[in-house]
Amino acid sequence: MKPHPELPAGEKTSFPPARTALRDLYRTVRHLPSTDPYAPARLARIADQAEYFLQAWPLQEWPAALHSSQALPARQVLLAWVSTAKREIRQLGVTPTVTWTYTSWHRVSTLLLAALVHFA
């Protein structure tokens, strides 16, 4: 795990593209309303993308923390949460004829948010 040294004043931090993509996925899930008719399909796509970006992040570059006071869970933990969300999505279905209850939407979106919040 690479340490992240303090940057001189005025210099921007450069993050790996995977972190930026995961942050954007977090923001998308966070603002996705449960009433959106495409919410199930969008959550399925976000879960696929989150899994891809978490796996694409080089293991030797996985940071111990992204924020000074918050430790980053192991990649396998985050992948397990995403995997659980994907399993729930498959069980619930994403076809246009399927309507999720608020409880189902909340459970899946919360799993994805938990896996992605560290990159926000």
Side-chain angles (χ1 to χ4, degrees), residues 20-108:
T20 303
L22 290 165
R23 181 197 63 210
D24 292 343
L25 290 174
Y26 168 80
R27 289 176 178 171
T28 301
V29 173
R30 190 165 171 238
H31 296 290
L32 181 63
S34 63
T35 57
D36 186 317
Y38 299 105
R42 292 181 73 191
L43 287 175
R45 179 72 176 137
I46 289 166
D48 287 340
Q49 291 173 327
E51 181 179 58
Y52 171 81
F53 287 115
L54 287 169
Q55 289 175 343
W57 196 310
L59 190 56
Q60 65 276 12
E61 293 179 20
W62 190 257
L66 291 173
H67 306 285
S68 60
S69 64
Q70 180 185 25
L72 182 64
R75 179 166 55 176
Q76 293 307 319
V77 171
L78 301 179
L79 282 168
W81 291 341
V82 171
S83 179
T84 302
K86 288 178 71 166
R87 186 174 49 253
E88 293 270 340
I89 291 166
R90 278 192 304 273
Q91 290 174 351
L92 293 166
V94 293
T95 61
T97 59
V98 172
T99 303
W100 286 12
T101 63
Y102 175 78
T103 306
S104 298
W105 173 86
H106 188 265
R107 185 174 56 246
V108 171

